[in-house]
Amino acid sequence: MKSKKAQVYQSTGSYYAIKDEEGQFWRARLKGRFKISKHASRSNPIAVGDWVKFDIVEKEDHEAIIDDILFRDNYIIRTSPQNRHQKHIIASNVDLACLIITASQPITSMGFIDRFLITTQAFQIHNLLVVNKADLLKGEVLKRYELIKKTYEAVGFEVMLVSAESGEGIEELKSHIKDKTVLFTGHSGVGKSTLINSLIPSFDLKVGKISEGTGKGRHTTTFAEMFDMPDRLGGKIIDTPGIKEWGLQEVEQEELSHYFPEMVKRLNECRFDNCLHIREPQCAIKDAVSSGEIPVSRYENYLIFLEELKRPF
Ligand code: GDP
Ligand code: ZN
């Protein structure tokens, strides 16, 4: 039988929830050749967002076997939660990655924001900063929000303000998601689930449960899951639970500055082609930091990340 095409919506590591082009979900396993050894550099061969080819194993029970993977437009990875020497593909074929930020309860650090921005740019995925809990912006919290907005807009990123609770900004957020596959990420507690629930009222019901009989609910997993937006909006949301840190995967020291747009446009003004903007003379980046054209926090984080990239892991 000719194999059919489907997209991966959820993965538990051994089972995949895939949706075919007619909108039917299947519980799928991987054909043997996809199995990977403990020593492989990637901990998952197939990720949420992947388009795959599958064969039906059991039609009534909707069981299938994945036998091929189609070309990925892009993907985003992090260190595997199980093994830090392995990389885990979080999701693929992503049109936009949204970082949900809060200026309080909890505070999202600028280091975390910068790591997210570098990682998404390194994987060529558009990004959007979404500040949630607009209803809490008062006093110090308001000041912190204004600093975030000023810092990131000044260097060319988009910052949106929403409140999942009051509904402020939600229509604008919807217009960003429309007809796209959008990854949502952020620290635990920033309101990611509340936000997804307000965008997809039937969120909890969308994807069939694919428990492996371990008794674990799907929300205990650290794997990403994809959900369809309601029909009139179109688009899909990928929820990514449990990402505590963005580890600057697959970025070389020399290219780090390429992921700082405010540095990129000044790089050829540095005296040395291989300038890392640390202590080198006639460095256009350090000059721009001194004159206030590059935010100090961005440059300080640049130096921290540069140190990190020197380490072997
Ligand atoms: P998640 O861990 O990112 O999924 O966060 P949750 O969606 O579970 O939300 C964490 C807490 O923040 C909950 O107590 C929510 O009620 C609260 N919360 C979410 N959105 C808002 C908001 O816009 N304003 C306020 N004040 N609280 C919010
Ligand atoms: Zn320089």
Side-chain angles (χ1 to χ4, degrees):
M1 202 195 338
K2 207 165 145 282
S3 60
K4 306 208 300 169
K5 204 173 135 185
Q7 195 175 21
V8 178
Y9 272 60
Q10 187 191 2
S11 150
T12 63
S14 0
Y15 285 96
Y16 298 82
I18 62 174
K19 187 182 173 187
D20 68 21
E21 292 176 295
E22 281 91 54
Q24 173 68 56
F25 275 99
W26 300 84
R27 182 183 196 262
R29 282 184 300 119
L30 294 186
K31 208 157 189 161
R33 69 186 177 85
F34 282 109
K35 297 278 153 50
I36 45 173
S37 82
K38 278 197 183 78
H39 307 291
S41 62
R42 298 276 160 85
S43 60
N44 59 336
I46 301 250
V48 167
D50 277 340
W51 282 95
V52 296
K53 290 284 191 70
F54 73 98
D55 280 321
I56 296 170
V57 174
E58 173 53 69
K59 197 160 194 265
E60 305 292 289
D61 294 340
H62 298 131
E63 283 193 23
I65 188 150
I66 294 170
D67 54 23
D68 206 358
I69 171 168
L70 305 184
F71 180 78
R72 289 176 178 136
D73 284 340
N74 60 30
Y75 61 90
I76 188 161
I77 64 177
R78 64 155 161 157
T79 309
S80 161
Q82 279 86 31
N83 175 348
R84 70 191 169 106
H85 297 294
Q86 275 186 337
K87 311 275 175 65
H88 182 84
I89 306 169
I90 300 169
S92 68
N93 301 317
V94 176
D95 297 314
L96 178 70
C98 289
L99 178 67
I100 317 302
I101 297 169
T102 35
S104 98
Q105 301 181 20
I107 284 180
T108 304
S109 73
M110 289 203 176
F112 191 77
I113 298 173
D114 289 329
R115 283 171 196 277
F116 164 83
L117 293 172
I118 292 165
T119 308
T120 47
Q121 289 178 97
F123 288 102
Q124 302 185 341
I125 296 174
H126 291 289
N127 51 43
L128 175 65
L129 302 176
V130 179
V131 179
N132 186 32
K133 310 199 184 183
D135 53 296
L136 299 182
L137 299 185
K138 285 180 215 80
E140 287 304 308
V141 182
L142 177 62
K143 279 199 194 130
R144 190 164 172 80
Y145 160 70
E146 285 170 345
L147 178 66
I148 290 171
K149 187 166 170 74
K150 190 171 134 230
T151 305
Y152 291 99
E153 284 186 345
V155 297
F157 296 103
E158 193 171 350
V159 182
M160 267 197 66
L161 180 62
V162 303
S163 168
E165 205 137 289
S166 77
E168 178 181 344
I170 299 295
E171 286 309 311
E172 196 192 335
L173 181 58
K174 281 181 182 169
S175 69
H176 277 91
I177 295 172
K178 194 170 165 27
D179 298 326
K180 292 190 187 131
T181 300
V182 182
L183 181 134
F184 272 48
T185 186
H187 281 312
S188 168
V190 293
K192 185 161 56 70
S193 312
T194 315
L195 213 49
I196 296 176
N197 266 316
S198 72
L199 295 164
I200 310 177
S202 55
F203 167 51
D204 278 336
L205 310 171
K206 270 291 166 188
V207 179
K209 294 200 175 27
I210 52 163
S211 153
E212 289 177 80
T214 57
K216 279 194 215 157
R218 64 181 173 81
H219 287 294
T220 60
T221 161
T222 51
F223 292 102
E225 277 185 73
M226 187 159 71
F227 304 92
D228 289 324
M229 291 285 287
D231 283 346
R232 79 199 139 72
L233 274 168
K236 296 161 194 167
I237 290 180
I238 300 175
D239 181 24
T240 58
I243 299 182
K244 295 207 173 65
E245 198 50 277
W246 290 94
L248 307 180
Q249 301 301 329
E250 301 187 1
V251 175
E252 302 289 335
Q253 259 197 78
E254 296 72 27
E255 66 181 21
L256 180 63
S257 59
H258 299 198
Y259 303 120
F260 287 73
E262 70 274 40
M263 296 187 184
V264 171
K265 60 182 183 192
R266 296 178 166 95
L267 290 178
N268 54 17
E269 293 162 32
C270 288
R271 173 163 168 199
F272 299 108
D273 282 347
N274 60 352
C275 187
L276 286 176
H277 329 297
I278 310 168
R279 254 171 245 104
E280 298 89 336
Q282 293 174 41
C283 167
I285 303 306
K286 280 189 294 168
D287 290 348
V289 177
S290 304
S291 68
E293 289 166 82
I294 290 180
V296 175
S297 73
R298 294 273 291 170
Y299 179 65
E300 284 174 352
N301 285 334
Y302 167 82
L303 293 178
I304 291 171
F305 303 154
L306 202 61
E307 260 316 294
E308 246 176 66
L309 295 175
K310 278 191 197 154
R311 290 184 220 137
F313 52 82

